[in-house]
Amino acid sequence: MRRPLQRTAGVASAVLALSGAVPPLPALAAAEVASLGITLDAARSVTGETIRWTATARDEAQAPVVGAEVTVHLPDNAIVAATTTADGIATGTFVATEPGTISAYTDDARADTVLQLAPVLRLAAPARTAKVFEGVRVAVTETLDASVVLQRRKAGAEAWTNLYTEFGDPRMSVPLHAGGTGSWQFRAVSKAIDDANILSATSNTVTLKVSGAAPVPIKVLNAMRVKSGVRPVYWTSSYNANMMKHAKWMARNRTLCHCETKGTPGYSPDGDRIARSSLLSGGTGSITSTEIVRGLAAAPLHSVSLMAAPLRGVGVAVTKVKGFSAGGVFQADRAVRDGYRRAVTPWPGAGSTVPAAYRGARREQPNPFPLCGAGYSDRTSGLPVWASFGVPFMGAPVVGYPARVRKARLLENGRTPVTVCVLSTDRVKGNGDNATAVRLGLEAHEAVVLIPKRPLKAGASYQASITTQKETFTWTFRIGK
């Protein structure tokens, strides 16, 4: 009698005994990815935002590829990964920290996209009130390596004007100042220094209520700077106090020096530091801080520093001790870079009127007059006239070029030639201490100085013209009546 079920069961049992288990079905390998794409839900974003990425994998027939491993490389070198699902899509998120190319990879394909980021900008001001041209420091926070342009406008106005540019420091403390009374608004706007994927961004707005008047020497200095085509400078009471420290030392010791000597009356390390960044003036008798500013402006080797475009913040002070007056201008804040586009800076400024009392500073050190030869002196010659073809920035090379003078002239009332001595780095001869110092002073600003042999006439207009190896620069000014 046949027992097929038992025999079948016996065969089955034998098979099971040999294998030990039912063999699993072999895994299906993901199809080859013929095309890969990647998109971002916010290709233009701000730093710190969470971004979702989506990768799509397709085979040669454009059917979804299931189970493909997608690896995504981010601009900050981080890596994220995911596996495609039934619809051929892999997705994930990351926090945006850097702009740049985002690449997705499988074993067979690659896709790229670009993330553009805008910096997060914030302004925080400790003070909400100020005087005219008084510097109020604000904290500027940015989240990417971008240039930051500080802007201002009168409250209610539509147009913004640039104050200056800061570079590449994510946490800065910078000054803001207004050129008149009333409510003024300030903001920061950023653009990338090098990376084209950094977007522009705008900060919050800070409002300052400005009242009162600028100190007279600051008002006089800024009027001259504007006429020379450079920005006004700001001042602070602390800068003025710093200049006063060194002024007191000089007055007590009856000397002018870009230094302070240890062991002398009034010496301080701060005063010694301030001395090295100041333009100084003084002597027996009385002098005001406004007279110091005007005197330095008429001294060509000091004037080029006083009118330099990178100068941003100053302190001015003067004091008198036992008949000896001393003071100066503390060059407290100079730009490292300023987004500066080279332009010639003249003095006296184009279209300006110079008081007839201006004759040029006496006893300027170094002294340019002896280099002009017979007939030139700080007592008998006219007001020096100059133009700067270069701008020095702290920690950066001069913007401009070495000015080589081909021709220079000064015309009275547009027609009468004035006899002048021309000083420039290529025309100052000699290796003595004074000649070397004059040459270095001119070279720092690539300045060309015209010194009239005789005083300029009150009420007359003058046209100055300087031709270098690259250009001819001409401007006019007047001498007051």
Side-chain angles (χ1 to χ4, degrees):
M1 184 176 181
R2 295 180 178 180
R3 297 179 179 177
L5 292 177
Q6 291 179 354
R7 185 169 38 168
T8 303
V11 172
S13 297
V15 171
L16 290 174
L18 290 172
S19 64
V22 177
L25 293 173
L28 296 175
E32 182 175 322
V33 177
S35 64
L36 183 68
I38 183 170
T39 59
L40 306 175
D41 67 346
R44 298 166 64 90
S45 184
V46 296
T47 184
E49 185 176 358
T50 298
I51 306 293
R52 177 167 293 279
W53 61 270
T54 301
T56 304
R58 295 286 186 267
D59 61 16
E60 289 186 355
Q62 293 303 299
V65 177
V66 182
E69 292 290 333
V70 180
T71 302
V72 178
H73 292 244
L74 304 175
D76 60 0
N77 295 321
I79 296 175
V80 294
T83 303
T84 57
T85 57
D87 53 4
I89 292 176
T91 188
T93 62
F94 63 91
V95 176
T97 59
E98 292 186 18
T101 300
I102 294 177
S103 300
Y105 297 88
T106 66
D107 290 340
D108 312 305
R110 168 179 171 168
D112 295 324
T113 189
V114 172
L115 173 65
Q116 293 181 305
L117 290 185
V120 173
L121 278 178
R122 290 188 296 273
L123 282 184
R128 299 289 175 173
T129 61
K131 295 182 180 179
V132 175
F133 291 125
E134 182 179 8
V136 172
R137 300 200 78 80
V138 296
V140 184
T141 301
E142 60 157 329
T143 54
L144 291 173
D145 188 19
S147 64
V148 177
V149 181
L150 297 171
Q151 298 181 326
R152 74 177 175 204
R153 69 180 179 185
K154 197 74 177 285
E158 293 186 7
W160 291 87
T161 58
N162 293 346
L163 274 177
Y164 45 78
T165 303
E166 294 286 348
F167 286 87
D169 184 351
R171 295 185 182 277
M172 300 176 288
S173 178
V174 296
L176 302 175
H177 67 278
T181 58
S183 291
W184 291 79
Q185 295 178 326
F186 299 86
R187 71 179 185 182
V189 178
S190 70
K191 292 198 297 186
I193 298 175
D194 297 311
D195 196 332
N197 294 322
I198 298 180
L199 305 171
S200 62
T202 302
S203 76
N204 56 305
T205 298
V206 169
T207 300
L208 288 180
K209 291 185 178 180
V210 180
S211 60
V216 174
I218 300 296
K219 184 178 179 180
V220 169
L221 172 57
N222 279 338
M224 289 189 289
R225 284 179 61 87
V226 169
K227 284 292 187 180
S228 290
V230 292
R231 297 185 183 99
V233 294
Y234 71 91
W235 63 278
T236 69
S237 56
S238 62
Y239 289 168
N240 292 348
N242 285 337
M243 185 64 244
M244 182 59 79
K245 285 183 181 179
H246 186 55
K248 288 180 177 179
W249 180 88
M250 292 190 296
R252 289 182 67 181
N253 291 277
R254 303 183 70 81
T255 187
L256 299 181
C257 183
H258 294 286
C259 65
E260 289 190 9
T261 306
K262 289 183 179 179
T264 55
Y267 166 82
S268 71
D270 281 347
D272 185 59
R273 174 184 56 82
I274 292 159
R276 301 174 193 279
S277 300
S278 298
L279 304 172
L280 308 176
S281 183
T284 56
S286 298
I287 187 172
T288 67
S289 51
T290 300
E291 289 170 335
I292 284 179
V293 168
R294 286 177 171 154
L296 291 171
L301 298 176
H302 290 71
S303 183
V304 288
S305 291
L306 199 60
M307 302 299 158
L311 184 62
R312 295 194 321 204
V314 300
V316 183
V318 65
T319 191
K320 183 179 179 181
V321 176
K322 295 181 180 179
F324 190 92
S325 296
V329 177
F330 173 34
Q331 300 175 103
D333 185 4
R334 295 174 65 86
V336 175
R337 292 184 292 174
D338 206 12
Y340 180 76
R341 237 198 255 173
R342 189 201 67 79
V344 180
T345 301
W347 196 89
S352 63
T353 298
V354 181
Y358 275 30
R359 288 285 299 276
R362 292 185 177 179
R363 300 185 300 278
E364 181 180 19
Q365 296 297 329
N367 189 350
F369 290 93
L371 303 177
C372 290
Y376 289 87
S377 78
D378 57 6
R379 292 182 175 274
T380 61
S381 298
L383 176 71
V385 176
W386 59 263
S388 170
F389 292 83
V391 177
F393 288 96
M394 302 298 287
V398 170
V399 176
Y401 63 91
R404 302 293 178 256
V405 179
R406 300 289 183 260
K407 183 172 64 175
R409 69 178 185 179
L410 185 63
L411 297 179
E412 182 181 296
N413 294 323
R415 58 182 181 275
T416 305
V418 176
T419 301
V420 296
C421 163
V422 181
L423 297 178
S424 61
T425 53
D426 60 322
R427 294 200 178 197
V428 173
K429 307 302 180 183
N431 296 316
D433 290 346
N434 185 62
T436 300
V438 169
R439 188 162 47 245
L440 290 174
L442 296 172
E443 184 181 30
H445 299 265
E446 296 302 342
V448 178
V449 179
L450 312 183
I451 299 180
K453 194 168 188 178
R454 296 287 177 259
L456 302 182
K457 293 182 180 178
S461 66
Y462 289 88
Q463 182 189 75
S465 179
I466 298 172
T467 300
T468 70
Q469 73 272 33
K470 290 190 177 183
E471 62 189 307
T472 295
F473 183 73
T474 301
W475 78 102
T476 59
F477 61 93
R478 298 186 68 86
I479 301 297
K481 296 182 178 180

